[in-house]
Amino acid sequence: MASLIYNSKEITIEDKRVSITALYRAQGKPPNKAPTNLKKHLIELLQK
């Protein structure tokens, strides 16, 4: 199982998938960004 470090937090990668909730928590649970909004933002970043 692979992992990555994001904001000093370890995020596991399983079957080429990353938990959006784990990324949200690593980001500090920003009140103005729900995990679904974070997913949209990540998709936009990855498509660049």
Side-chain angles (χ1 to χ4, degrees):
M1 183 179 337
S3 64
L4 63 91
I5 303 298
Y6 179 75
N7 283 348
S8 302
K9 307 281 186 194
E10 185 175 10
I11 308 294
T12 58
I13 302 170
E14 294 183 31
D15 299 323
K16 298 181 183 179
R17 294 182 295 171
V18 177
S19 168
I20 297 298
T21 304
L23 288 171
Y24 176 72
R25 289 179 181 151
Q27 196 175 33
K29 297 182 185 180
N32 61 336
K33 300 204 184 312
T36 53
N37 293 339
L38 178 62
K39 179 181 176 182
K40 291 175 189 175
H41 179 69
L42 290 171
I43 290 170
E44 289 172 2
L45 287 175
L46 292 172
Q47 290 176 344
K48 290 183 179 181

mmCIF file of all heavy atoms in Angstrom:
data_model
loop_
_atom_site.group_PDB
_atom_site.id
_atom_site.type_symbol
_atom_site.label_atom_id
_atom_site.label_comp_id
_atom_site.label_asym_id
_atom_site.label_seq_id
_atom_site.Cartn_x
_atom_site.Cartn_y
_atom_site.Cartn_z
ATOM 1 N N MET A 1 0.849 -1.176 0.000
ATOM 2 C CA MET A 1 0.000 0.000 0.000
ATOM 3 C C MET A 1 0.900 1.246 0.000
ATOM 4 O O MET A 1 1.820 1.365 0.786
ATOM 5 C CB MET A 1 -0.898 -0.016 1.233
ATOM 6 C CG MET A 1 -1.853 1.109 1.280
ATOM 7 S SD MET A 1 -2.992 1.139 2.710
ATOM 8 C CE MET A 1 -3.065 -0.512 3.266
ATOM 9 N N ALA A 2 0.604 2.152 -0.891
ATOM 10 C CA ALA A 2 1.384 3.384 -0.999
ATOM 11 C C ALA A 2 0.748 4.483 -0.147
ATOM 12 O O ALA A 2 -0.393 4.358 0.305
ATOM 13 C CB ALA A 2 1.431 3.826 -2.452
ATOM 14 N N SER A 3 1.509 5.530 0.052
ATOM 15 C CA SER A 3 0.971 6.675 0.791
ATOM 16 C C SER A 3 1.655 7.947 0.300
ATOM 17 O O SER A 3 2.666 7.894 -0.386
ATOM 18 C CB SER A 3 1.172 6.493 2.294
ATOM 19 O OG SER A 3 2.545 6.478 2.605
ATOM 20 N N LEU A 4 1.077 9.066 0.669
ATOM 21 C CA LEU A 4 1.677 10.356 0.371
ATOM 22 C C LEU A 4 1.556 11.230 1.604
ATOM 23 O O LEU A 4 0.747 10.965 2.485
ATOM 24 C CB LEU A 4 1.016 11.015 -0.844
ATOM 25 C CG LEU A 4 -0.472 11.378 -0.760
ATOM 26 C CD1 LEU A 4 -0.648 12.791 -0.243
ATOM 27 C CD2 LEU A 4 -1.097 11.260 -2.121
ATOM 28 N N ILE A 5 2.375 12.237 1.671
ATOM 29 C CA ILE A 5 2.340 13.174 2.793
ATOM 30 C C ILE A 5 1.761 14.490 2.288
ATOM 31 O O ILE A 5 2.227 15.056 1.298
ATOM 32 C CB ILE A 5 3.750 13.406 3.372
ATOM 33 C CG1 ILE A 5 4.397 12.091 3.802
ATOM 34 C CG2 ILE A 5 3.693 14.404 4.535
ATOM 35 C CD1 ILE A 5 3.661 11.350 4.894
ATOM 36 N N TYR A 6 0.724 14.960 2.947
ATOM 37 C CA TYR A 6 0.062 16.219 2.599
ATOM 38 C C TYR A 6 -0.141 17.005 3.884
ATOM 39 O O TYR A 6 -0.772 16.513 4.814
ATOM 40 C CB TYR A 6 -1.280 15.932 1.901
ATOM 41 C CG TYR A 6 -2.047 17.163 1.516
ATOM 42 C CD1 TYR A 6 -1.651 17.924 0.430
ATOM 43 C CD2 TYR A 6 -3.161 17.562 2.228
ATOM 44 C CE1 TYR A 6 -2.356 19.056 0.060
ATOM 45 C CE2 TYR A 6 -3.872 18.693 1.876
ATOM 46 C CZ TYR A 6 -3.461 19.435 0.792
ATOM 47 O OH TYR A 6 -4.152 20.558 0.438
ATOM 48 N N ASN A 7 0.431 18.187 3.955
ATOM 49 C CA ASN A 7 0.359 19.006 5.180
ATOM 50 C C ASN A 7 0.800 18.226 6.411
ATOM 51 O O ASN A 7 0.155 18.258 7.453
ATOM 52 C CB ASN A 7 -1.042 19.567 5.386
ATOM 53 C CG ASN A 7 -1.340 20.738 4.494
ATOM 54 O OD1 ASN A 7 -0.444 21.286 3.865
ATOM 55 N ND2 ASN A 7 -2.587 21.123 4.419
ATOM 56 N N SER A 8 1.879 17.492 6.262
ATOM 57 C CA SER A 8 2.470 16.684 7.335
ATOM 58 C C SER A 8 1.576 15.540 7.796
ATOM 59 O O SER A 8 1.790 14.983 8.869
ATOM 60 C CB SER A 8 2.842 17.559 8.540
ATOM 61 O OG SER A 8 3.740 18.569 8.144
ATOM 62 N N LYS A 9 0.581 15.194 7.020
ATOM 63 C CA LYS A 9 -0.318 14.076 7.344
ATOM 64 C C LYS A 9 -0.125 12.985 6.296
ATOM 65 O O LYS A 9 -0.001 13.273 5.107
ATOM 66 C CB LYS A 9 -1.791 14.503 7.327
ATOM 67 C CG LYS A 9 -2.115 15.698 8.172
ATOM 68 C CD LYS A 9 -2.228 15.340 9.602
ATOM 69 C CE LYS A 9 -2.695 16.572 10.362
ATOM 70 N NZ LYS A 9 -2.568 16.507 11.741
ATOM 71 N N GLU A 10 -0.118 11.739 6.737
ATOM 72 C CA GLU A 10 0.019 10.619 5.813
ATOM 73 C C GLU A 10 -1.351 10.249 5.238
ATOM 74 O O GLU A 10 -2.308 10.042 5.970
ATOM 75 C CB GLU A 10 0.621 9.406 6.516
ATOM 76 C CG GLU A 10 0.889 8.265 5.571
ATOM 77 C CD GLU A 10 1.594 7.098 6.223
ATOM 78 O OE1 GLU A 10 1.719 7.091 7.465
ATOM 79 O OE2 GLU A 10 1.996 6.197 5.498
ATOM 80 N N ILE A 11 -1.427 10.190 3.926
ATOM 81 C CA ILE A 11 -2.649 9.830 3.218
ATOM 82 C C ILE A 11 -2.370 8.521 2.481
ATOM 83 O O ILE A 11 -1.436 8.449 1.679
ATOM 84 C CB ILE A 11 -3.051 10.911 2.180
ATOM 85 C CG1 ILE A 11 -3.095 12.302 2.807
ATOM 86 C CG2 ILE A 11 -4.357 10.542 1.505
ATOM 87 C CD1 ILE A 11 -4.157 12.516 3.836
ATOM 88 N N THR A 12 -3.143 7.495 2.755
ATOM 89 C CA THR A 12 -2.923 6.214 2.095
ATOM 90 C C THR A 12 -3.551 6.203 0.707
ATOM 91 O O THR A 12 -4.552 6.865 0.456
ATOM 92 C CB THR A 12 -3.486 5.046 2.916
ATOM 93 O OG1 THR A 12 -4.875 5.269 3.132
ATOM 94 C CG2 THR A 12 -2.792 4.909 4.245
ATOM 95 N N ILE A 13 -2.922 5.439 -0.165
ATOM 96 C CA ILE A 13 -3.400 5.264 -1.533
ATOM 97 C C ILE A 13 -3.682 3.782 -1.712
ATOM 98 O O ILE A 13 -2.796 2.954 -1.541
ATOM 99 C CB ILE A 13 -2.358 5.727 -2.559
ATOM 100 C CG1 ILE A 13 -2.001 7.188 -2.327
ATOM 101 C CG2 ILE A 13 -2.864 5.504 -3.980
ATOM 102 C CD1 ILE A 13 -0.821 7.672 -3.132
ATOM 103 N N GLU A 14 -4.930 3.456 -2.013
ATOM 104 C CA GLU A 14 -5.331 2.070 -2.217
ATOM 105 C C GLU A 14 -5.936 1.918 -3.603
ATOM 106 O O GLU A 14 -6.867 2.655 -3.955
ATOM 107 C CB GLU A 14 -6.360 1.643 -1.168
ATOM 108 C CG GLU A 14 -5.803 1.600 0.242
ATOM 109 C CD GLU A 14 -6.821 1.095 1.238
ATOM 110 O OE1 GLU A 14 -7.674 0.274 0.872
ATOM 111 O OE2 GLU A 14 -6.742 1.543 2.394
ATOM 112 N N ASP A 15 -5.428 0.982 -4.376
ATOM 113 C CA ASP A 15 -5.931 0.738 -5.728
ATOM 114 C C ASP A 15 -6.009 2.031 -6.548
ATOM 115 O O ASP A 15 -7.008 2.316 -7.205
ATOM 116 C CB ASP A 15 -7.313 0.069 -5.697
ATOM 117 C CG ASP A 15 -7.287 -1.271 -5.007
ATOM 118 O OD1 ASP A 15 -6.290 -1.997 -5.178
ATOM 119 O OD2 ASP A 15 -8.251 -1.584 -4.292
ATOM 120 N N LYS A 16 -4.962 2.840 -6.457
ATOM 121 C CA LYS A 16 -4.862 4.121 -7.176
ATOM 122 C C LYS A 16 -5.940 5.116 -6.765
ATOM 123 O O LYS A 16 -6.288 6.026 -7.514
ATOM 124 C CB LYS A 16 -4.898 3.900 -8.686
ATOM 125 C CG LYS A 16 -3.751 3.072 -9.202
ATOM 126 C CD LYS A 16 -3.836 2.919 -10.693
ATOM 127 C CE LYS A 16 -2.721 2.014 -11.180
ATOM 128 N NZ LYS A 16 -2.783 1.816 -12.625
ATOM 129 N N ARG A 17 -6.490 4.950 -5.553
ATOM 130 C CA ARG A 17 -7.518 5.874 -5.056
ATOM 131 C C ARG A 17 -7.042 6.520 -3.761
ATOM 132 O O ARG A 17 -6.370 5.902 -2.959
ATOM 133 C CB ARG A 17 -8.830 5.141 -4.818
ATOM 134 C CG ARG A 17 -9.461 4.629 -6.102
ATOM 135 C CD ARG A 17 -10.764 3.957 -5.839
ATOM 136 N NE ARG A 17 -10.500 2.762 -5.026
ATOM 137 C CZ ARG A 17 -11.440 2.033 -4.473
ATOM 138 N NH1 ARG A 17 -12.702 2.354 -4.606
ATOM 139 N NH2 ARG A 17 -11.134 0.970 -3.774
ATOM 140 N N VAL A 18 -7.448 7.760 -3.597
ATOM 141 C CA VAL A 18 -7.119 8.523 -2.393
ATOM 142 C C VAL A 18 -8.423 8.950 -1.741
ATOM 143 O O VAL A 18 -9.372 9.334 -2.416
ATOM 144 C CB VAL A 18 -6.283 9.770 -2.763
ATOM 145 C CG1 VAL A 18 -5.994 10.612 -1.535
ATOM 146 C CG2 VAL A 18 -5.000 9.376 -3.444
ATOM 147 N N SER A 19 -8.479 8.902 -0.432
ATOM 148 C CA SER A 19 -9.678 9.308 0.289
ATOM 149 C C SER A 19 -9.804 10.826 0.296
ATOM 150 O O SER A 19 -8.924 11.536 0.809
ATOM 151 C CB SER A 19 -9.624 8.790 1.729
ATOM 152 O OG SER A 19 -10.631 9.394 2.508
ATOM 153 N N ILE A 20 -10.886 11.326 -0.274
ATOM 154 C CA ILE A 20 -11.146 12.768 -0.266
ATOM 155 C C ILE A 20 -11.319 13.259 1.172
ATOM 156 O O ILE A 20 -10.857 14.336 1.534
ATOM 157 C CB ILE A 20 -12.407 13.089 -1.103
ATOM 158 C CG1 ILE A 20 -12.191 12.714 -2.568
ATOM 159 C CG2 ILE A 20 -12.810 14.546 -0.977
ATOM 160 C CD1 ILE A 20 -11.093 13.465 -3.262
ATOM 161 N N THR A 21 -11.948 12.452 2.000
ATOM 162 C CA THR A 21 -12.144 12.829 3.409
ATOM 163 C C THR A 21 -10.805 12.953 4.123
ATOM 164 O O THR A 21 -10.600 13.879 4.913
ATOM 165 C CB THR A 21 -13.056 11.810 4.113
ATOM 166 O OG1 THR A 21 -14.282 11.725 3.396
ATOM 167 C CG2 THR A 21 -13.330 12.220 5.545
ATOM 168 N N ALA A 22 -9.870 12.052 3.843
ATOM 169 C CA ALA A 22 -8.545 12.135 4.463
ATOM 170 C C ALA A 22 -7.824 13.411 4.029
ATOM 171 O O ALA A 22 -7.183 14.077 4.850
ATOM 172 C CB ALA A 22 -7.723 10.904 4.101
ATOM 173 N N LEU A 23 -7.944 13.777 2.755
ATOM 174 C CA LEU A 23 -7.350 15.031 2.289
ATOM 175 C C LEU A 23 -8.007 16.235 2.950
ATOM 176 O O LEU A 23 -7.337 17.197 3.328
ATOM 177 C CB LEU A 23 -7.473 15.137 0.767
ATOM 178 C CG LEU A 23 -6.569 14.219 -0.038
ATOM 179 C CD1 LEU A 23 -6.951 14.274 -1.505
ATOM 180 C CD2 LEU A 23 -5.116 14.585 0.159
ATOM 181 N N TYR A 24 -9.318 16.177 3.089
ATOM 182 C CA TYR A 24 -10.073 17.254 3.749
ATOM 183 C C TYR A 24 -9.595 17.426 5.192
ATOM 184 O O TYR A 24 -9.342 18.541 5.646
ATOM 185 C CB TYR A 24 -11.553 16.907 3.692
ATOM 186 C CG TYR A 24 -12.479 17.855 4.406
ATOM 187 C CD1 TYR A 24 -12.732 19.114 3.899
ATOM 188 C CD2 TYR A 24 -13.132 17.466 5.573
ATOM 189 C CE1 TYR A 24 -13.604 19.974 4.541
ATOM 190 C CE2 TYR A 24 -14.002 18.323 6.219
ATOM 191 C CZ TYR A 24 -14.230 19.580 5.695
ATOM 192 O OH TYR A 24 -15.095 20.418 6.342
ATOM 193 N N ARG A 25 -9.433 16.328 5.877
ATOM 194 C CA ARG A 25 -8.954 16.395 7.272
ATOM 195 C C ARG A 25 -7.520 16.905 7.339
ATOM 196 O O ARG A 25 -7.171 17.684 8.223
ATOM 197 C CB ARG A 25 -9.062 15.021 7.921
ATOM 198 C CG ARG A 25 -10.486 14.614 8.182
ATOM 199 C CD ARG A 25 -10.566 13.245 8.790
ATOM 200 N NE ARG A 25 -11.962 12.875 9.011
ATOM 201 C CZ ARG A 25 -12.406 11.646 9.000
ATOM 202 N NH1 ARG A 25 -11.587 10.629 8.800
ATOM 203 N NH2 ARG A 25 -13.684 11.397 9.200
ATOM 204 N N ALA A 26 -6.680 16.474 6.397
ATOM 205 C CA ALA A 26 -5.291 16.933 6.367
ATOM 206 C C ALA A 26 -5.213 18.426 6.081
ATOM 207 O O ALA A 26 -4.285 19.104 6.512
ATOM 208 C CB ALA A 26 -4.502 16.152 5.317
ATOM 209 N N GLN A 27 -6.196 18.927 5.368
ATOM 210 C CA GLN A 27 -6.239 20.351 5.054
ATOM 211 C C GLN A 27 -6.734 21.169 6.248
ATOM 212 O O GLN A 27 -6.715 22.380 6.228
ATOM 213 C CB GLN A 27 -7.128 20.583 3.838
ATOM 214 C CG GLN A 27 -6.948 21.929 3.202
ATOM 215 C CD GLN A 27 -7.743 22.078 1.927
ATOM 216 O OE1 GLN A 27 -8.827 21.528 1.797
ATOM 217 N NE2 GLN A 27 -7.216 22.822 0.983
ATOM 218 N N GLY A 28 -7.176 20.497 7.293
ATOM 219 C CA GLY A 28 -7.613 21.195 8.496
ATOM 220 C C GLY A 28 -9.102 21.427 8.557
ATOM 221 O O GLY A 28 -9.556 22.295 9.291
ATOM 222 N N LYS A 29 -9.886 20.687 7.790
ATOM 223 C CA LYS A 29 -11.344 20.801 7.755
ATOM 224 C C LYS A 29 -11.794 22.252 7.596
ATOM 225 O O LYS A 29 -12.496 22.797 8.445
ATOM 226 C CB LYS A 29 -11.972 20.216 9.020
ATOM 227 C CG LYS A 29 -11.747 18.754 9.224
ATOM 228 C CD LYS A 29 -12.463 18.302 10.478
ATOM 229 C CE LYS A 29 -12.162 16.860 10.785
ATOM 230 N NZ LYS A 29 -12.843 16.414 12.000
ATOM 231 N N PRO A 30 -11.386 22.899 6.501
ATOM 232 C CA PRO A 30 -11.799 24.300 6.332
ATOM 233 C C PRO A 30 -13.322 24.415 6.304
ATOM 234 O O PRO A 30 -13.982 23.662 5.587
ATOM 235 C CB PRO A 30 -11.186 24.701 4.992
ATOM 236 C CG PRO A 30 -10.812 23.439 4.315
ATOM 237 C CD PRO A 30 -10.646 22.395 5.369
ATOM 238 N N PRO A 31 -13.884 25.308 7.103
ATOM 239 C CA PRO A 31 -15.343 25.399 7.226
ATOM 240 C C PRO A 31 -16.062 25.787 5.941
ATOM 241 O O PRO A 31 -17.204 25.425 5.738
ATOM 242 C CB PRO A 31 -15.552 26.465 8.305
ATOM 243 C CG PRO A 31 -14.289 27.238 8.342
ATOM 244 C CD PRO A 31 -13.194 26.286 7.914
ATOM 245 N N ASN A 32 -15.379 26.504 5.053
ATOM 246 C CA ASN A 32 -16.038 26.941 3.826
ATOM 247 C C ASN A 32 -15.874 25.946 2.678
ATOM 248 O O ASN A 32 -16.281 26.217 1.568
ATOM 249 C CB ASN A 32 -15.499 28.307 3.390
ATOM 250 C CG ASN A 32 -14.016 28.276 3.105
ATOM 251 O OD1 ASN A 32 -13.292 27.425 3.614
ATOM 252 N ND2 ASN A 32 -13.546 29.206 2.319
ATOM 253 N N LYS A 33 -15.249 24.802 2.939
ATOM 254 C CA LYS A 33 -15.036 23.815 1.888
ATOM 255 C C LYS A 33 -15.464 22.435 2.376
ATOM 256 O O LYS A 33 -14.837 21.851 3.239
ATOM 257 C CB LYS A 33 -13.572 23.767 1.482
ATOM 258 C CG LYS A 33 -13.046 25.083 0.945
ATOM 259 C CD LYS A 33 -11.882 24.839 0.058
ATOM 260 C CE LYS A 33 -11.221 26.090 -0.443
ATOM 261 N NZ LYS A 33 -12.041 27.099 -0.988
ATOM 262 N N ALA A 34 -16.532 21.949 1.811
ATOM 263 C CA ALA A 34 -16.983 20.587 2.106
ATOM 264 C C ALA A 34 -16.116 19.617 1.308
ATOM 265 O O ALA A 34 -15.527 19.997 0.300
ATOM 266 C CB ALA A 34 -18.447 20.430 1.725
ATOM 267 N N PRO A 35 -16.026 18.344 1.723
ATOM 268 C CA PRO A 35 -15.230 17.378 0.964
ATOM 269 C C PRO A 35 -15.629 17.292 -0.511
ATOM 270 O O PRO A 35 -14.769 17.105 -1.369
ATOM 271 C CB PRO A 35 -15.490 16.058 1.681
ATOM 272 C CG PRO A 35 -15.787 16.443 3.083
ATOM 273 C CD PRO A 35 -16.539 17.745 2.955
ATOM 274 N N THR A 36 -16.894 17.474 -0.833
ATOM 275 C CA THR A 36 -17.308 17.412 -2.239
ATOM 276 C C THR A 36 -16.733 18.578 -3.038
ATOM 277 O O THR A 36 -16.350 18.414 -4.186
ATOM 278 C CB THR A 36 -18.837 17.403 -2.363
ATOM 279 O OG1 THR A 36 -19.357 18.508 -1.642
ATOM 280 C CG2 THR A 36 -19.430 16.121 -1.839
ATOM 281 N N ASN A 37 -16.641 19.756 -2.433
ATOM 282 C CA ASN A 37 -16.032 20.893 -3.117
ATOM 283 C C ASN A 37 -14.534 20.677 -3.295
ATOM 284 O O ASN A 37 -13.966 21.063 -4.310
ATOM 285 C CB ASN A 37 -16.274 22.196 -2.360
ATOM 286 C CG ASN A 37 -17.727 22.590 -2.351
ATOM 287 O OD1 ASN A 37 -18.504 22.157 -3.185
ATOM 288 N ND2 ASN A 37 -18.108 23.399 -1.383
ATOM 289 N N LEU A 38 -13.907 20.052 -2.322
ATOM 290 C CA LEU A 38 -12.487 19.746 -2.408
ATOM 291 C C LEU A 38 -12.239 18.784 -3.570
ATOM 292 O O LEU A 38 -11.290 18.946 -4.325
ATOM 293 C CB LEU A 38 -11.993 19.140 -1.094
ATOM 294 C CG LEU A 38 -10.526 18.728 -1.048
ATOM 295 C CD1 LEU A 38 -9.627 19.949 -1.242
ATOM 296 C CD2 LEU A 38 -10.216 18.054 0.267
ATOM 297 N N LYS A 39 -13.124 17.825 -3.740
ATOM 298 C CA LYS A 39 -12.990 16.867 -4.842
ATOM 299 C C LYS A 39 -13.007 17.595 -6.183
ATOM 300 O O LYS A 39 -12.170 17.335 -7.046
ATOM 301 C CB LYS A 39 -14.112 15.840 -4.779
ATOM 302 C CG LYS A 39 -14.067 14.818 -5.881
ATOM 303 C CD LYS A 39 -15.225 13.847 -5.760
ATOM 304 C CE LYS A 39 -15.257 12.880 -6.918
ATOM 305 N NZ LYS A 39 -16.396 11.965 -6.829
ATOM 306 N N LYS A 40 -13.928 18.514 -6.361
ATOM 307 C CA LYS A 40 -14.009 19.278 -7.615
ATOM 308 C C LYS A 40 -12.720 20.058 -7.851
ATOM 309 O O LYS A 40 -12.202 20.110 -8.956
ATOM 310 C CB LYS A 40 -15.200 20.232 -7.582
ATOM 311 C CG LYS A 40 -16.535 19.548 -7.628
ATOM 312 C CD LYS A 40 -17.656 20.557 -7.473
ATOM 313 C CE LYS A 40 -18.989 19.865 -7.293
ATOM 314 N NZ LYS A 40 -20.073 20.813 -7.034
ATOM 315 N N HIS A 41 -12.208 20.682 -6.801
ATOM 316 C CA HIS A 41 -10.981 21.457 -6.904
ATOM 317 C C HIS A 41 -9.801 20.559 -7.279
ATOM 318 O O HIS A 41 -8.990 20.915 -8.137
ATOM 319 C CB HIS A 41 -10.721 22.193 -5.585
ATOM 320 C CG HIS A 41 -9.470 22.996 -5.585
ATOM 321 N ND1 HIS A 41 -9.321 24.132 -6.347
ATOM 322 C CD2 HIS A 41 -8.306 22.821 -4.928
ATOM 323 C CE1 HIS A 41 -8.104 24.622 -6.149
ATOM 324 N NE2 HIS A 41 -7.482 23.836 -5.301
ATOM 325 N N LEU A 42 -9.686 19.394 -6.657
ATOM 326 C CA LEU A 42 -8.597 18.469 -6.962
ATOM 327 C C LEU A 42 -8.666 17.978 -8.397
ATOM 328 O O LEU A 42 -7.653 17.870 -9.079
ATOM 329 C CB LEU A 42 -8.597 17.286 -5.993
ATOM 330 C CG LEU A 42 -8.204 17.601 -4.566
ATOM 331 C CD1 LEU A 42 -8.465 16.392 -3.678
ATOM 332 C CD2 LEU A 42 -6.751 18.020 -4.485
ATOM 333 N N ILE A 43 -9.860 17.689 -8.870
ATOM 334 C CA ILE A 43 -10.025 17.244 -10.259
ATOM 335 C C ILE A 43 -9.553 18.336 -11.214
ATOM 336 O O ILE A 43 -8.846 18.053 -12.190
ATOM 337 C CB ILE A 43 -11.495 16.833 -10.530
ATOM 338 C CG1 ILE A 43 -11.808 15.540 -9.792
ATOM 339 C CG2 ILE A 43 -11.743 16.683 -12.029
ATOM 340 C CD1 ILE A 43 -13.271 15.175 -9.787
ATOM 341 N N GLU A 44 -9.914 19.581 -10.936
ATOM 342 C CA GLU A 44 -9.477 20.690 -11.780
ATOM 343 C C GLU A 44 -7.964 20.805 -11.778
ATOM 344 O O GLU A 44 -7.339 21.011 -12.822
ATOM 345 C CB GLU A 44 -10.101 21.997 -11.304
ATOM 346 C CG GLU A 44 -11.579 22.100 -11.564
ATOM 347 C CD GLU A 44 -12.217 23.308 -10.913
ATOM 348 O OE1 GLU A 44 -11.510 24.119 -10.273
ATOM 349 O OE2 GLU A 44 -13.450 23.452 -11.033
ATOM 350 N N LEU A 45 -7.336 20.675 -10.621
ATOM 351 C CA LEU A 45 -5.883 20.749 -10.541
ATOM 352 C C LEU A 45 -5.207 19.630 -11.306
ATOM 353 O O LEU A 45 -4.204 19.841 -11.983
ATOM 354 C CB LEU A 45 -5.430 20.699 -9.073
ATOM 355 C CG LEU A 45 -5.685 21.938 -8.235
ATOM 356 C CD1 LEU A 45 -5.288 21.684 -6.794
ATOM 357 C CD2 LEU A 45 -4.916 23.121 -8.787
ATOM 358 N N LEU A 46 -5.748 18.426 -11.214
ATOM 359 C CA LEU A 46 -5.134 17.275 -11.884
ATOM 360 C C LEU A 46 -5.299 17.331 -13.397
ATOM 361 O O LEU A 46 -4.496 16.753 -14.120
ATOM 362 C CB LEU A 46 -5.739 15.980 -11.348
ATOM 363 C CG LEU A 46 -5.392 15.665 -9.893
ATOM 364 C CD1 LEU A 46 -6.191 14.467 -9.412
ATOM 365 C CD2 LEU A 46 -3.900 15.430 -9.722
ATOM 366 N N GLN A 47 -6.297 18.035 -13.885
ATOM 367 C CA GLN A 47 -6.515 18.121 -15.321
ATOM 368 C C GLN A 47 -5.621 19.160 -15.983
ATOM 369 O O GLN A 47 -5.533 19.199 -17.200
ATOM 370 C CB GLN A 47 -7.988 18.435 -15.615
ATOM 371 C CG GLN A 47 -8.892 17.271 -15.303
ATOM 372 C CD GLN A 47 -10.362 17.592 -15.502
ATOM 373 O OE1 GLN A 47 -10.740 18.752 -15.590
ATOM 374 N NE2 GLN A 47 -11.175 16.571 -15.576
ATOM 375 N N LYS A 48 -4.941 19.988 -15.214
ATOM 376 C CA LYS A 48 -4.059 21.016 -15.789
ATOM 377 C C LYS A 48 -2.760 20.411 -16.256
ATOM 378 O O LYS A 48 -2.292 19.447 -15.831
ATOM 379 C CB LYS A 48 -3.778 22.112 -14.756
ATOM 380 C CG LYS A 48 -4.992 22.943 -14.484
ATOM 381 C CD LYS A 48 -4.653 24.051 -13.524
ATOM 382 C CE LYS A 48 -5.890 24.897 -13.284
ATOM 383 N NZ LYS A 48 -5.628 26.000 -12.398
#
